[in-house]
Amino acid sequence: MPLLRVNDLGLAYGHHVLLEEANVQLFKGDRICLVGRNGAGKSTLMKLVEGVIKPDSGSIWKRPSVRISRLEQELPKADSQTVMQVVSSGLQEIGDLITEYDQLISQQLDDAGLKKLEQLQHQIEAKDGWSYQQRIDEVLSRLALPADKVMSTLSGGWRRRVALAKVLVTAPDLLLLDEPTNHLDIETIEWLEKQLLDFKGAVLFITHDRALVRRLATKIIELDRGHLRLYQCGYDNYLEERAHLLAVEEQQNALFDKKLAQEEVWIRQGIKARRTRNEGRVRALKKLREERSQRRNVQGSAKIAVEAASKSGKLVAEANQISHEFDGNILIKDLSFNIIRGDKIGLLGPNGVGKTTLLKIILGELAPSSGTVKLGSKLDVAYYDQMRDQLDDEKTIVDIVGQGRESIEINGKSRHILSYLSDFLFSPERSRTPLKALSGGERNRVQLAVLFSMPANILVLDEPTNDLDVETLELLEAVLVEFEGTMLLVSHDRDFMDNVVTGTLAFEGNGIVREYVGGYQDWLRQGGRFATVETTANKPAEFIETQTETVNEATVVKKTAKKLSYKDQRELELLPAKIEGLEQQQEQLSAETTAADFYQQEHSVVTAKLEELASVTTSLESCYDRWVELSED
């Protein structure tokens, strides 16, 4: 028996049809990704399922007593509420009673207060509220959330956990998620994946994170031109099936158009033909015309081209032993690297570790606490993140991108502003819409249109993938791969990083930033990992204190440990030579893998060499850890 059934659902805003005779069923245990172009109506369908809005036609049947909760795209407010208060609010009336009881019990009460406390206790017992309190405690424990922490003291990643706890505490049968990974770092995204894999109910989610879809989705629902189509497969198989269906549709449309053209020729024949005209054939032609007029074609893909500036110097930036501190915290420690023209460097790490700070240091906008940065010559920088604050919500798209010009020059060719905006899927009518009326994905396309109209040989992109549909994401990837200049990218989209960057600067904790060849998966293969201590950067203070106590206890144990055995002493004596040999091997392999012609070799040779480098790096890290362990004993 399904949890929910959508029957012949229809919804339109004016002439814009979002849903037409849509049908689908959701069952317990389903993890379904809802895919479709920006503006296709995915979020609207979520609201219909939740019951926030009503359809024009059709119906949504829900199994009696089914519970539906939606994780909102926006983070909970960083206000004075405690975690307990926010999570309890998910239970509505009973949650309000528990919150009020929790507040009173922590106060010094007079007789009136004690009487109020007694009344609350009776109300909670009458509604079996203590079982809900137990459920709240279980959810808080499972998500490692501190009940008494104030929301304003938590980072974005932890507020996302609080939001998830708020919907899970209701024990929903169906969980709705709209872009749950926006602005989350990789660690938190992987944590979210685990929570959703363990969730026993059904999940319907919208996301641009292809790695998340591949990991979670058991089915795909595509919303395309008002119709819902269910694919009983994972994401990669969906891509293959969809490509086949679109090819078949294109072939059928071509045959239809050919027949229509032949009939149009016939109807326009001379007087003799008109006198002997077959009236049935005329009626059939009218029907063909009507059918063609109602066809909704597949929306075209964006066409992105970068306005290239003159080449920069070969050396873009050279960092020598740079370190940087902020409020006593070491963000970067003794980091050295070179960025050469054409490099595409990804900055990888949890939120708040200093990725944006390093960008500013590289670009010369911020001086490091120590060390030096030498910048190359002829640098023309286009900075994506800066444009978010520069865009005026009251201005139209034409005004923002054109800046008063009727035409702009892209790679030496003059383009009318409306023609240029059509490359980013904005019709002439839509181009005159104020920015404040646009969806998140459309706003991102405006920012990209501004960015790529600027002559640049260095692109700095800070989280460019938020709210973009998959087709635009893949096109952006292709453009960035072909871009001949230099690129600096901050992104938590693992697939995007893998497909675009040639090298990675990874923030691995305690100020340590290491340089790796390739993207996210290459970083993992080469032994990259985030230090456990680094994850405390976004944790509440009590979590950090607990970890500090654990470290101190461990240190005491080591200091009081017994003397080394002969075997351990001998191992300690041999380790320096072994470490030195591994370091030399790692240095040699790193030089080979960073050579300009390395990736021009056979795929098997490249893979083998990268795996060898990863193995040596892992062995070296193990030797370091073992040396520290034996030395401290």
Side-chain angles (χ1 to χ4, degrees):
M1 184 179 183
L3 294 175
L4 180 143
R5 186 186 299 119
V6 173
N7 300 309
D8 296 329
L9 210 62
L11 182 68
Y13 293 128
H15 296 293
H16 183 39
V17 178
L18 292 178
L19 293 166
E20 183 178 11
E21 298 182 358
N23 294 278
V24 74
Q25 297 185 95
L26 276 70
F27 294 86
K28 182 179 179 180
D30 282 344
R31 293 196 302 272
I32 302 175
C33 182
L34 178 60
V35 301
R37 301 297 296 266
N38 286 339
K42 301 188 296 296
S43 296
T44 301
L45 179 59
M46 285 268 194
K47 293 175 183 177
L48 285 166
V49 169
E50 189 183 11
V52 175
I53 59 177
K54 300 295 182 183
D56 295 335
S57 61
S59 63
I60 298 178
W61 176 87
K62 301 172 185 176
R63 195 170 70 187
S65 74
V66 70
R67 290 186 296 273
I68 300 175
S69 292
R70 180 165 64 98
L71 180 66
E72 297 180 7
Q73 190 171 342
E74 296 76 20
L75 292 175
K77 293 180 180 178
D79 54 20
S80 59
Q81 289 193 93
T82 66
V83 170
M84 170 65 82
Q85 290 172 334
V86 176
V87 174
S88 298
S89 68
L91 296 171
Q92 297 177 344
E93 182 184 355
I94 190 64
D96 294 338
L97 293 174
I98 291 173
T99 297
E100 190 175 355
Y101 182 89
D102 194 57
Q103 289 174 332
L104 282 176
I105 204 170
S106 62
Q107 301 172 8
Q108 293 288 339
L109 302 177
D110 53 18
D111 290 342
L114 289 172
K115 186 175 181 180
K116 176 64 174 176
L117 190 67
E118 184 179 358
Q119 290 174 346
L120 285 171
Q121 185 172 350
H122 286 313
Q123 287 179 282
I124 293 171
E125 288 173 352
K127 297 178 180 292
D128 193 25
W130 298 124
S131 64
Y132 287 96
Q133 179 65 58
Q134 182 181 1
R135 187 188 299 171
I136 293 171
D137 293 339
E138 288 174 356
V139 170
L140 291 176
S141 175
R142 179 149 57 95
L143 302 189
L145 287 168
D148 59 343
K149 274 292 173 184
V150 177
M151 294 294 289
S152 60
T153 67
L154 302 183
S155 68
W158 283 90
R159 281 188 283 142
R160 176 65 75 190
R161 291 192 184 211
V162 174
L164 184 61
K166 179 181 174 181
V167 296
L168 290 179
V169 78
T170 64
D173 302 294
L174 173 59
L175 185 59
L176 307 176
L177 309 174
D178 193 349
E179 294 288 0
T181 65
N182 270 3
H183 309 294
L184 295 187
D185 59 36
I186 289 176
E187 280 190 306
T188 310
I189 290 171
E190 291 177 341
W191 167 86
L192 180 62
E193 284 178 354
K194 185 178 183 303
Q195 299 301 317
L196 296 178
L197 285 169
D198 292 339
F199 181 63
K200 302 303 180 185
V203 181
L204 178 65
F205 65 102
I206 302 168
T207 184
H208 64 268
D209 189 324
R210 290 157 293 178
L212 183 78
V213 181
R214 287 188 174 94
R215 182 90 188 275
L216 289 183
T218 57
K219 299 176 183 176
I220 304 290
I221 293 178
E222 181 183 51
L223 176 53
D224 181 25
R225 290 163 285 170
H227 298 284
L228 291 178
R229 180 178 286 136
L230 176 65
Y231 293 82
Q232 302 270 4
C233 59
Y235 183 66
D236 289 325
N237 288 336
Y238 150 74
L239 292 177
E240 293 180 8
E241 289 189 31
R242 181 176 182 271
H244 173 69
L245 288 173
L246 286 176
V248 171
E249 178 183 339
E250 185 178 357
Q251 186 179 21
Q252 291 175 341
N253 286 343
L255 292 173
F256 178 93
D257 291 344
K258 182 179 179 181
K259 182 179 180 181
L260 176 59
Q262 290 171 343
E263 294 302 291
E264 292 288 1
V265 169
W266 170 80
I267 200 69
R268 288 171 175 79
Q269 286 178 348
I271 296 174
K272 180 179 179 182
R274 285 200 294 271
R275 281 201 302 264
T276 58
R277 187 175 296 156
N278 184 319
E279 293 302 325
R281 192 171 177 180
V282 172
R283 287 193 296 271
L285 173 57
K286 289 180 180 179
K287 188 175 180 181
L288 287 174
R289 286 173 176 171
E290 183 180 354
E291 186 176 343
R292 179 63 184 87
S293 67
Q294 292 178 353
R295 182 198 299 171
R296 291 197 293 275
N297 292 318
V298 179
Q299 185 181 10
S301 297
K303 302 171 186 176
I304 300 174
V306 183
E307 166 67 345
S310 58
K311 286 186 177 181
S312 67
K314 185 172 183 181
L315 178 68
V316 173
E318 179 183 10
N320 184 29
Q321 294 292 304
I322 62 171
S323 297
H324 196 73
E325 296 184 11
F326 182 75
D327 284 347
N329 296 320
I330 299 176
L331 299 179
I332 303 165
K333 182 179 179 182
D334 298 329
L335 174 62
S336 298
F337 60 87
N338 291 332
I339 298 178
I340 307 300
R341 182 179 65 222
D343 283 349
K344 296 178 173 66
I345 306 299
L347 276 64
L348 184 66
N351 287 334
V353 294
K355 298 187 296 295
T356 300
T357 299
L358 181 55
L359 279 180
K360 292 180 178 179
I361 291 174
I362 293 172
L363 298 174
E365 298 177 3
L366 179 67
S369 301
S370 62
T372 59
V373 176
K374 178 183 177 183
L375 295 178
S377 59
K378 301 178 182 178
L379 304 183
D380 291 313
V381 180
Y383 199 158
Y384 177 80
D385 184 61
Q386 290 177 338
M387 292 172 194
R388 297 177 187 175
D389 298 327
Q390 294 172 0
L391 302 184
D392 187 342
D393 278 353
E394 299 301 324
K395 289 186 176 180
T396 65
I397 302 173
V398 167
D399 293 334
I400 290 171
V401 180
Q403 299 178 9
R405 300 168 294 178
E406 289 191 2
S407 62
I408 58 176
E409 191 168 296
I410 303 294
N411 292 328
K413 296 181 179 179
S414 180
R415 297 281 307 276
H416 192 279
I417 186 62
L418 294 180
S419 173
Y420 176 67
L421 287 174
S422 70
D423 290 348
F424 293 82
L425 304 181
F426 293 113
S427 66
E429 294 78 16
R430 194 63 172 167
S431 297
R432 295 182 175 87
T433 303
L435 188 69
K436 62 184 180 182
L438 303 184
S439 67
E442 288 175 317
R443 291 174 70 97
N444 256 22
R445 293 209 302 272
V446 172
Q447 292 166 14
L448 290 174
V450 175
L451 178 77
F452 292 136
S453 67
M454 300 168 57
N457 51 37
I458 298 179
L459 292 179
V460 181
L461 306 172
D462 196 347
E463 287 294 343
T465 65
N466 287 338
D467 298 313
L468 293 182
D469 57 46
V470 173
E471 287 87 348
T472 308
L473 261 181
E474 292 175 346
L475 177 65
L476 179 59
E477 286 175 356
V479 170
L480 295 178
V481 168
E482 295 297 324
F483 179 57
E484 295 181 355
T486 306
M487 183 187 72
L488 300 173
L489 170 70
V490 176
S491 178
H492 301 300
D493 188 319
R494 293 157 289 179
D495 274 21
F496 192 78
M497 289 277 283
D498 286 335
N499 294 337
V500 167
V501 304
T502 59
T504 299
L505 290 172
F507 288 71
E508 297 185 342
N510 305 317
I512 302 301
V513 183
R514 291 193 175 96
E515 190 174 7
Y516 292 87
V517 175
Y520 175 73
Q521 292 298 332
D522 296 308
W523 171 71
L524 291 178
R525 280 194 291 271
Q526 294 172 65
R529 64 183 184 275
F530 298 127
T532 304
V533 176
E534 183 184 16
T535 62
T536 65
N538 290 331
K539 290 188 178 182
E542 67 179 73
F543 288 1
I544 300 174
E545 292 164 4
T546 303
Q547 285 200 343
T548 304
E549 291 169 6
T550 305
V551 172
N552 291 339
E553 290 173 5
T555 305
V556 172
V557 172
K558 286 185 177 181
K559 286 183 178 177
T560 58
K562 62 182 182 179
K563 292 179 67 176
L564 292 176
S565 65
Y566 172 78
K567 181 180 178 182
D568 288 344
Q569 184 64 43
R570 181 61 178 160
E571 183 183 358
L572 179 60
E573 292 171 357
L574 294 175
L575 270 174
K578 185 177 181 181
I579 288 173
E580 185 177 353
L582 286 170
E583 285 177 337
Q584 291 175 353
Q585 193 176 352
Q586 184 191 47
E587 185 176 350
Q588 179 183 346
L589 289 168
S590 295
E592 291 179 27
T593 56
T594 54
D597 59 349
F598 175 70
Y599 286 97
Q600 296 176 8
Q601 303 177 85
E602 292 289 336
H603 177 72
S604 58
V605 175
V606 172
T607 302
K609 192 65 69 175
L610 289 175
E611 289 176 352
E612 184 181 359
L613 176 59
S615 176
V616 169
T617 301
T618 302
S619 299
L620 185 58
E621 293 287 346
S622 298
C623 288
Y624 283 143
D625 293 342
R626 184 61 174 157
W627 183 81
V628 170
E629 181 182 351
L630 293 174
S631 297
E632 291 184 355
D633 283 346

